[in-house]
Amino acid sequence: MRIIRPRHSRLAPRQWMYRNAWKPITAAVAVGGPAYVYYTSRSDRQEIFNLPVKVKGADGRPEMTTRAIPLLPIEQLVARIRERAIENTHSPPGGPIWKFTTAALASNDPIEDANAHQVIQRDESDPSAPGDYLFFAVMDGHGGRDTSQLLSRVLIKAVALELSNLVTDPNAQPSAGIMQKLSSLMRASPSQKAQAALDTHPLRVSRAIESAFTKLDTELISAPIQILANNLDAEARKNKVIPDLSQHPLALTSMLPAISGSCALMAVFDTAHKDLYVACTGDSRAVAGVWEKTADGKGQWRVEVLSEDQTGRNPNELKRLQSEHPKDEADYVVRQGRILGGLEPSRAFGDARYKWPRAVQNTLSQAFLVGNGRPLRPPPTLFKTPPYVIARPVVTHRKFDFPTDTETDAPGAPRFLVLATDGLWDELSSEDVVSLVGGHLAGLKGTIPKSDLPTLVPTSAGYLGIDGKTKRKEDASGSWAFADDNVSAHLIRNAFGGGNETRLRQLLSIPAPYSRRYRDDITVTVVMWEDGKEDAAKVTTIKSKL
């Protein structure tokens, strides 16, 4: 039976290592031996298992104990996997059919992930019409959900606004902050919104997306500083007195999104010019499945990774970080794959503890947080020359195509793109994900041995990117489950056991906050497109079936 192992935390290194094994609850524990998980199945009472957990001891120090955890029914857990699952279809007149699904599963309570999507339809006055812009984004929050929730509301609009500036005046420098301009964009008429992104030069578009990410983060972490500056009178400035702004209406609204953090991954499809842009800040990942012919006529899916995991384990990120800080910090700017030994992603929105100078952190904490009983944690011990974390994304550009009857042996065969937060990639490889989506599209049903899937769904390796994750032990045994109509929910189920129902129940029965040591929040968006000859435009939303 597969062992359940604790996973790494996003915010701090793992301090304990366990060997966990499922054994009868009546088994004895050897004195001085490792901590074990125990499992029992009793017909006369609810199934339970004992889980080693970390708690605060009487002296305030962490210590290990066990908790009895109810083993939840599979029906309840499947309903949880599908609870946030939605499916959308967008069929513009005479254009391709777009299908996109999203599902999310919480480990934190509340979930710290977020997601967003938006379809911007070109109006008739657009010289590039017909065609649409499709935006998809997943956000992986850490240290709270404030940053990811804010990004889910404004990040797509910020990118659309920056692209719009390229059209109106490519050399213009906006005088107002991006947050102010966003409010006007949100109130814009549909025809104005349709003009949000018209530029067709890939390099300029990529730079505009990069600029939107960077400007938005600057606004986000500068907001509390601006509020403080606006509330300092002459006397306070003269005497260097920090006012108590803890009850200011924007105190927590501005501080919390700045001090929590979030990775962000965005895909932008320009259907008029068949351009795909992927912007990555952090360690979420974008993986494409590209259908290609084979000599035997059966075809296969080529795995193409369109982003890099931006952590200290990525040699490109390590080199960048070392180049941006003094040479005497080169040995510890990344420790154990983490920034200053603490934060795992090397790029993120928010995370002001890695960006504000120490004096600014102390001042803002005193002004906004101390009075609320929530003082800011001090920066890492090795903190000297901020910023150590940036929000500037790496933007990649690819052309995409729409299949035709002559290109494949299956008319209208879809291509697809998977965007997912790192909780999925902690459990599945890029190759696993492409195979699972390919099998789902092929109509596989039931339980499939893992060893059989490569034969049923052949794949080939394209660009596999740079894996910035802790190396996983591949488990070739076991089976995959093809039981969910929603392909995003399908991936989440298989991340936590698939056809191994016992493992699925064990992992998903662990409640917050203990679950965080064994699995992360997961958000998955899958975008599929195929040639279509629809007569009328339509966008539909379908709630996943329970």
Side-chain angles (χ1 to χ4, degrees), residues 13 88 104 137 174 208 225-227 232 246 259 329-330 333 349 355 420 434 454 479 481 508 511:
N88 300 268
I225 299 173
Q226 187 62 50
I227 294 170
L232 284 175
S246 59
I259 62 178
E329 295 187 54
V333 67
F349 285 84
K355 298 176 182 178
V434 170
S479 58
L508 299 193

Side-chain angles (χ1 to χ4, degrees), residues 5 16 65 94 107 143 176 220 305 344 353 396 408 428 457 493 537:
R5 302 183 184 278
W16 288 272
T65 186
S107 179
L220 192 155
V305 179
E344 186 167 37
R353 290 179 59 250
T396 59
T408 67
L428 299 175
V457 186
R493 181 200 289 259

Side-chain angles (χ1 to χ4, degrees), residues 13 193 207 217 265 303 305 327 344-345 348 390 445 515 517:
K193 290 183 181 181
R207 287 176 176 171
D217 187 60
L265 177 66
V303 181
V305 179
K327 291 184 178 180
E344 186 167 37
I390 61 174
K445 296 293 182 183
S515 59
R517 291 188 58 77

Side-chain angles (χ1 to χ4, degrees), residues 199 323 344 425 430 466 478 494:
D199 189 80
S323 71
E344 186 167 37
W425 310 111
S430 300
I466 295 179
N494 282 284

